[in-house]
Amino acid sequence: MMTTSLWYRVLLVEVIFLAGIQSSSCLTSPTPIIPGLGEHCTTECSPPEMVECVHNVCQCKPPLVSTGTFCVSEPGEIEVFNATDVTNSSVSLSWEAPQTLGVIQYYHIVFTTNGMCFLQVVQKCTEISRQPQGCMITYVSPLNDCQGDISYNVSSLLPYTNYSVSISARNDIYSGPNTTLFIQTEISAPLEPSRVYANVLNASTIKVSWTQPRQDNGPTWYNVTVWEATGRLSSNFSIKTVIRVDGFNTTSLEVPGLLSSWKYTFTVTAYTPAGSAHAPNASEVVMTFPAEPGPVENLTATAVPEPYFGTILTWNCPKEKQRNGRIVNYTIHYKGDVSREEHYGSYKPEDPCMDTKSMFVPMAPVINYTFTVFANAEFKGEKKSIISRMDPERIVYVLPARTNKTSDSSGTVLVVAVVCGTIIAILLGLVALLVIHTRILPSRRMKYAQRKESAGMDNKSYRSINTDQNVEKPYMR
C-alpha cells in the first residue's frame, strides 16, 4: 500500500508540474488525462478536483462522467469564433475554448452550403472513440494540446461560394452548442465548359449549345467564337465574329446571319473577372442549309460578225458567297419573235466556277430580245436579264452551224429560217411589183393609146365617105 501511495504522489507532482507550464483553455482541470481512473485506490485519486476514491476505486466526481479514460461533462458554447484570410479555396479559423468542467476531447467544425454538409474538420485534443460522419469531405487533425487561442486553416473550399461555418466543443459523450459564422470565398478563374454542339436550324442560322462548368467560380459569361470556312469548299477557317453571352446557367446561343450552304465550327470560352477557360474541343464542322443562288455575274450579249446571224451570251458564276448551294447547270430564257428556254452545262457534283460560260443564240433582225440567265442548285437562282437587238446592217441570211444540236435548238433554227424566208419572199414580191409598175404597165398603156388613135382615124374617114354619098349610116353596137 505504501508503494502504491508513493507512486500516486509522484505522478501527482508530475501532473501538477505539467499543468503549471500550460494554460487551461481546453480543460478546466490542469490535467486532461486521468491516471488510474477506474483503478484501485485507498484514500484519494488524482486529480482530486475531477476524481475521488469511492469503494476503493477512482471515479469521476459528479457531475462529471467517465468515458473510460476521461472525466467529462457537456461542453459550453464557444463565444469567440473568427474567420480571416478568406481566399477562393481556403479560410483561417480561430476560436477560444469554452469554460467547461472536465475534458474537451475535440472540436467539430462543419462547412455547410445550400443546406448540405460540404466539409467537416475534427480538431483533436485527445484520442477519441467516435468519428463524425455525413460530409463530403472530412479532415481529422493530429493531436493538439488545445491550449490558449486555437486556430485551424481549412482548404479545399469551392470558389465564389457562401458557407455557413459552425463549431462546437465535444467529447465521446456530449456535444456542445454550435457557434456559427458566414463566409463567401473569393472569385476564381472558371472551369472549362464542355460538349460544344452545333445544330443547323436553316440556311442562315445555327444553334450552338454547351455544357456549363461543374462549378460556378464567379460572375460568368461565355464568348462564342464563330469560325467560318475561308471558301465554300475550303477546309481552312477564320474567325467571323465573337459573341458574348452572360450568365453561368446560359448554355445555348442561336447565331444568325450566316452564309447559306457554308461550313462553320464554334468554340466556347468561359470567363470570370479572375480569368478564362477554353472548352477542350470545338464543335464538329457543320454546313448551313442551301438557298436560292444569287445572280450570275458579268452577263453580256455580243453580236456575232458576218456571216453569222445571232448573239453570243457570256456570264460567270454567282459570287462565291452567293452561290448558296451546289450549282449543277444554268437556265437561259430568251424572248423576242419567239420564246425559248435552254439549259447550259451539267456539273457533278457542282460547278467549280473556274471559267466564263458562253452560248450562241440565233436572232431575227430588228427585234428586241430579252435574255434571262440564272443558276440552278438545290433551288432555282435569282434571275438576271439583258436586252439585245440585232443591227439590221449585219443581216446575212446564213445561219451558223450548230455543233451542239438539241431538239429545242433545231426548232429555234427552223423558226428563224421561216422568218427569214418570209422576209425574202416579201422583198422579191415588192421587186416584181415595181418592175410591173415601171416597165410593163407603161408599155401596155402606150400600145392601147396607139390602137385607139388608129381606130379614130378609120371612123372619121368612113363617116366622111358616107356623108358625101348620102348613104344611111350603118348600125354600130
Side-chain angles (χ1 to χ4, degrees):
M1 291 294 289
M2 291 294 296
T3 304
T4 302
S5 176
L6 180 63
W7 181 83
Y8 275 112
R9 289 177 183 176
V10 173
L11 184 59
L12 178 61
V13 171
E14 291 179 355
V15 170
I16 294 173
F17 175 76
L18 290 175
I21 62 173
Q22 296 181 0
S23 63
S24 68
S25 60
C26 274
L27 306 171
T28 57
S29 152
T31 176
I33 300 176
I34 311 300
L37 181 63
E39 294 183 1
H40 181 74
C41 63
T42 55
T43 58
E44 63 181 20
C45 296
S46 176
E49 67 271 19
M50 286 191 182
V51 293
E52 61 184 354
C53 187
V54 178
H55 303 300
N56 296 325
V57 177
C58 289
Q59 297 180 4
C60 295
K61 285 184 176 181
L64 299 178
V65 295
S66 175
T67 65
T69 307
F70 305 99
C71 292
V72 299
S73 65
E74 183 175 355
E77 182 179 0
I78 298 173
E79 296 182 355
V80 178
F81 182 39
N82 296 309
T84 58
D85 300 327
V86 180
T87 70
N88 58 29
S89 62
S90 65
V91 62
S92 179
L93 301 176
S94 61
W95 64 94
E96 293 180 2
Q99 296 297 320
T100 301
L101 292 175
V103 176
I104 296 175
Q105 291 184 268
Y106 67 95
Y107 291 94
H108 186 219
I109 304 169
V110 178
F111 287 76
T112 302
T113 180
N114 296 323
M116 298 181 62
C117 182
F118 174 78
L119 180 149
Q120 65 181 351
V121 177
V122 177
Q123 172 78 324
K124 293 170 59 177
C125 302
T126 70
E127 293 295 341
I128 59 177
S129 60
R130 68 170 179 167
Q131 181 75 30
Q133 303 292 331
C135 268
M136 295 175 59
I137 304 172
T138 299
Y139 291 119
V140 179
S141 74
L143 285 175
N144 189 290
D145 60 9
C146 295
Q147 302 299 313
D149 292 336
I150 309 169
S151 64
Y152 191 88
N153 293 325
V154 181
S155 59
S156 301
L157 300 179
L158 299 177
Y160 192 56
T161 302
N162 292 313
Y163 287 101
S164 169
V165 187
S166 62
I167 186 171
S168 61
R170 295 188 177 190
N171 52 54
D172 286 340
I173 297 177
Y174 299 107
S175 296
N178 286 324
T179 300
T180 303
L181 57 79
F182 300 91
I183 64 169
Q184 183 183 44
T185 49
E186 296 293 324
I187 294 170
S188 176
L191 301 177
E192 295 177 345
S194 60
R195 301 178 185 175
V196 181
Y197 296 99
N199 182 30
V200 179
L201 299 183
N202 52 48
S204 61
T205 305
I206 295 175
K207 183 177 181 180
V208 184
S209 58
W210 59 92
T211 301
Q212 65 193 32
R214 298 187 308 275
Q215 164 65 26
D216 185 358
N217 287 355
T220 302
W221 69 93
Y222 302 95
N223 278 0
V224 179
T225 303
V226 182
W227 295 83
E228 184 178 84
T230 55
R232 220 190 79 76
L233 301 178
S234 175
S235 298
N236 298 320
F237 292 83
S238 61
I239 295 177
K240 174 180 175 63
T241 187
V242 178
I243 304 173
R244 173 170 169 159
V245 183
D246 290 323
F248 175 77
N249 293 321
T250 303
T251 57
S252 66
L253 169 69
E254 290 188 8
V255 183
L258 304 178
L259 299 175
S260 299
S261 190
W262 205 272
K263 290 186 287 187
Y264 291 91
T265 186
F266 302 87
T267 56
V268 177
T269 304
Y271 285 85
T272 68
S276 63
H278 296 284
N281 301 106
S283 73
E284 61 181 344
V285 176
V286 295
M287 178 177 282
T288 50
F289 295 155
E292 173 188 294
V296 297
E297 291 286 299
N298 308 319
L299 177 60
T300 61
T302 305
V304 178
E306 296 181 6
Y308 299 110
F309 177 34
T311 189
I312 293 180
L313 291 178
T314 60
W315 69 92
N316 294 102
C317 279
K319 293 180 180 179
E320 185 177 23
K321 292 186 177 182
Q322 295 181 2
R323 293 175 195 165
N324 300 339
R326 297 180 294 108
I327 296 177
V328 294
N329 60 28
Y330 298 85
T331 297
I332 298 89
H333 181 270
Y334 54 95
K335 185 175 182 181
D337 61 322
V338 293
S339 179
R340 304 294 298 175
E341 184 174 281
E342 296 191 29
H343 295 286
Y344 178 94
S346 179
Y347 302 100
K348 295 181 180 180
E350 64 180 283
D351 184 2
C353 295
M354 302 297 292
D355 58 352
T356 299
K357 323 301 178 187
S358 64
M359 179 177 179
F360 177 82
V361 180
M363 294 178 62
V366 201
I367 296 177
N368 288 340
Y369 277 79
T370 299
F371 297 98
T372 301
V373 180
F374 57 88
N376 295 304
E378 288 81 354
F379 299 90
K380 290 184 178 180
E382 181 180 343
K383 297 178 180 179
K384 189 168 187 178
S385 299
I386 189 172
I387 297 176
S388 180
R389 180 183 177 91
M390 176 59 71
D391 185 353
E393 295 180 359
R394 293 182 176 272
I395 296 176
V396 178
Y397 305 109
V398 178
L399 294 177
R402 299 287 299 279
T403 56
N404 248 340
K405 293 185 178 181
T406 64
S407 59
D408 287 345
S409 61
S410 298
T412 303
V413 173
L414 180 59
V415 171
V416 174
V418 170
V419 173
C420 293
T422 302
I423 294 173
I424 293 172
I426 292 171
L427 292 176
L428 290 176
L430 291 174
V431 172
L433 289 174
L434 183 60
V435 171
I436 292 171
H437 182 74
T438 58
R439 292 183 179 275
I440 297 177
L441 290 179
S443 175
R444 289 185 178 181
R445 289 194 187 103
M446 185 178 294
K447 289 181 180 181
Y448 177 76
Q450 289 175 354
R451 288 178 183 175
K452 187 174 181 181
E453 184 179 355
S454 176
M457 291 295 295
D458 291 343
N459 290 337
K460 183 177 180 181
S461 298
Y462 177 78
R463 286 194 299 269
S464 178
I465 292 171
N466 284 308
T467 300
D468 293 343
Q469 296 177 2
N470 295 318
V471 180
E472 189 180 351
K473 294 179 181 179
Y475 171 77
M476 294 183 66
R477 183 177 299 230

